[in-house]
Amino acid sequence: EPEVTQTPSHQVTQMGQEVILRCVPISNHLYFYWYRQILGQKVEFLVSFYNNEISEKSEIFDDQFSVERPDGSNFTLKIRSTKLEDSAMYFCASSDPSPGTGGKEQYFGPGTRLTVT
Amino acid sequence: AQKITQTQPGMFVQEKEAVTLDCTYDTSDQSYGLFWYKQPSSGEMIFLIYQGSYDEQNATEGRYSLNFQKARKSANLVISASQLGDSAMYFCAMREARGFKTIFGAGTRLFVKA
């Protein structure tokens, strides 16, 4: 069964450093998303991406964050200068808006745990 | 503004019994989708069930069913015949049809006792 993959599974970085989290969405999906979950808290939407541009973003997604689809398979989230409060699990998701599914379901990757020290 | 409320931080259920996890939502849109996800201790998010706002029948997926009461804006998850493997965090979520983001509730941690 196709699945969303994410690398690395765990990333440790120092405050102020740049990090890039990588995702490979399901191959025929067209909509891509990033969410984050601070430990013990709820999942929060960051950004959605369609047709090579951001379609929606939350107030969390400030200028420190950017997303890119550098090739036909990868979808990345970059945090330019990490802060302690960026420590969280970051989930990538993708969805297929075909008539059969109606774009109902977002398939989540296993997540990347980011620890900022 | 969209909002999802899960009022039960933790629930206990005896193995093989049924359990209901509560979820209420708020939206001004007429067209939206409601979801439930399971998050085991390993951390991944597993899609369980979906209910569209215009669906007349309650959604069912195996042992999961969604008790959708539109007028009350509630979308409770019912798990029948609980199993030990059902112990996990459960999140209710909503996406408006005209938007892309899914918003999540705070979650309910379910403990299944042997």
Side-chain angles (χ1 to χ4, degrees), chain B residues 17-112:
Chain B
E17 307 254 311
V19 63
T20 298
L21 307 184
D22 294 342
C23 173
T24 58
Y25 61 92
D26 194 19
T27 178
S28 54
D29 273 25
Q30 296 302 309
S31 181
Y32 49 88
L34 296 156
F35 307 78
W36 278 90
Y37 286 87
K38 174 184 178 181
Q39 187 177 43
S41 55
S42 49
E44 72 265 35
M45 296 288 288
I46 302 168
F47 167 78
L48 295 178
I49 195 166
Y50 164 84
Q51 178 85 42
S53 59
Y54 291 114
D55 294 342
E56 293 186 356
Q57 304 271 3
N58 284 343
T60 60
E61 289 284 347
R63 295 187 297 112
Y64 304 108
S65 60
L66 199 151
N67 184 0
F68 180 46
Q69 298 187 42
K70 193 170 181 177
R72 297 178 62 185
K73 292 189 174 177
S74 76
N76 298 340
L77 177 71
V78 181
I79 305 174
S80 62
S82 298
Q83 301 171 356
L84 294 177
D86 294 335
S87 293
M89 192 73 147
Y90 289 81
F91 290 99
C92 180
M94 177 175 67
R95 183 167 69 248
E96 292 170 345
R98 60 183 172 83
F100 295 93
K101 70 180 179 184
T102 300
I103 62 160
F104 287 78
T108 295
R109 186 166 293 282
L110 178 66
F111 300 92
V112 180

Side-chain angles (χ1 to χ4, degrees), chain A residues 12-25:
Chain A
V12 181
T13 189
Q14 287 192 326
M15 198 167 53
Q17 296 294 305
E18 175 184 286
V19 293
I20 297 176
L21 310 183
R22 300 179 195 280
C23 168
V24 178

